[in-house]
Amino acid sequence: KMIGDILVTKQTGERGVPCNKVMVCERKFPRREFYLAMMMERSFGGPVLIASAQGGVNIEDVAAENPDAIFKVPIDIFEGVTEEKAKDVIVKLGLESRMEETVTIIKNLYKAFMDNDASMIEINPYAEDTYGKMFALDAKMRFDDNAEFRQVEIFNE
């Protein structure tokens, strides 16, 4: 029933957007939820890794209610995400037990961000289920309109 209809949410605004695809997946029962994102930030002059242990909710609400719960780490585009920066964020999130796995997620997040000329890639929530397995349960991506000539496949979707 959704395909072909106009989807109206907080994120789409009142006009909504056409629903062309629906993804169906296995239901997960998150025990802990985190927020991970890579964004282009003018105030930092480049990409910034943004993370919070308060995932699964609107990050703007977290920023308004408890700004100290959000960590922002500027990323040097020549250096990329270093092990040190990734591990520092992981410790702040309280995910030390998932260190290696989460370092890989953060590095892949940055790689996808750079390779696809993204202006934002957000995983919310990055969640641990009741069995201790980690999942990216939802994600959002925005791409630089000026990169359309390089990212034809993305912009044709």
Side-chain angles (χ1 to χ4, degrees), residues 2-7 17-23 156-157:
M2 291 178 69
I3 295 176
D5 281 348
I6 300 296
L7 180 65
V17 296
C19 179
N20 300 317
K21 295 179 185 178
V22 175
M23 187 175 100
N156 282 342
E157 274 293 313

Side-chain angles (χ1 to χ4, degrees), residues 37-41 46-49 75 77 81 105-122 140-144 147 150-151 154:
M38 192 67 62
M39 293 186 191
M40 198 59 78
E41 289 267 344
V48 175
L49 171 62
I75 305 299
I77 60 169
V81 175
I105 291 289
I106 290 171
K107 287 187 166 215
N108 286 338
L109 180 68
Y110 178 73
K111 182 176 178 359
F113 180 84
M114 295 302 288
D115 289 354
N116 296 292
D117 292 296
S119 55
M120 187 263 314
I121 299 180
E122 172 184 270
K140 198 181 339 179
M141 302 175 197
R142 264 191 242 125
F143 301 96
D144 182 352
R150 279 193 305 269
Q151 306 297 339
I154 290 170

Side-chain angles (χ1 to χ4, degrees), residues 86-124:
K87 286 179 177 180
D88 182 50
V89 167
I90 292 164
V91 168
K92 287 178 181 174
L93 292 174
L95 273 169
E96 297 93 321
S97 65
R98 311 305 299 204
M99 185 67 75
E100 188 176 321
E101 179 181 2
T102 308
V103 165
T104 300
I105 291 289
I106 290 171
K107 287 187 166 215
N108 286 338
L109 180 68
Y110 178 73
K111 182 176 178 359
F113 180 84
M114 295 302 288
D115 289 354
N116 296 292
D117 292 296
S119 55
M120 187 263 314
I121 299 180
E122 172 184 270
I123 301 171
N124 188 22

